[in-house]
Amino acid sequence: MSANQQVSLLLINGPNLNLLGTREPSVYGSQTLDDVHSLAKQTASKHNVEVLTFQSNHEGAIIDRIHQAREEGVKGILINPGVPSV
């Protein structure tokens, strides 16, 4: 890989994170999952890294996305497991 070639990372967000910013903002804050994705992508782009994002409330869908990432040549996966439903 050349120094200028962009690396892809996958950010997987687990159960309930789709509710960020809307569910109990006094506890979890007002930042939405889209806000988290935007910040991750903006920060990564400064380092020539592309961030792909995915969220699911279903374990099987997360596993399927991990397998797909391998086929796409993704170089790393970050997993934000989420918080238990209250």
Side-chain angles (χ1 to χ4, degrees):
M1 176 171 27
S2 72
N4 293 330
Q5 189 174 1
Q6 191 171 44
V7 172
S8 293
L9 298 177
L10 174 61
L11 171 58
I12 294 178
N13 295 282
N16 301 316
L17 287 173
N18 56 308
L19 300 176
L20 278 177
T22 62
R23 188 175 131 240
E24 297 186 68
S26 62
V27 175
Y28 300 107
S30 59
Q31 190 175 43
T32 67
L33 187 57
D34 284 341
D35 295 335
V36 172
H37 289 171
S38 293
L39 179 59
K41 290 177 180 186
Q42 179 183 20
T43 302
S45 71
K46 294 176 185 176
H47 303 282
N48 201 30
V49 174
E50 174 188 28
V51 174
L52 308 171
T53 59
F54 181 76
Q55 187 280 326
S56 181
N57 294 320
H58 306 282
E59 182 180 310
I62 292 171
I63 299 296
D64 289 343
R65 185 61 185 97
I66 291 170
H67 290 191
Q68 180 184 343
R70 181 177 184 220
E71 294 171 11
E72 295 169 341
V74 169
K75 297 298 181 191
I77 298 174
L78 305 168
I79 299 177
N80 182 7
V83 295
S85 182
V86 194

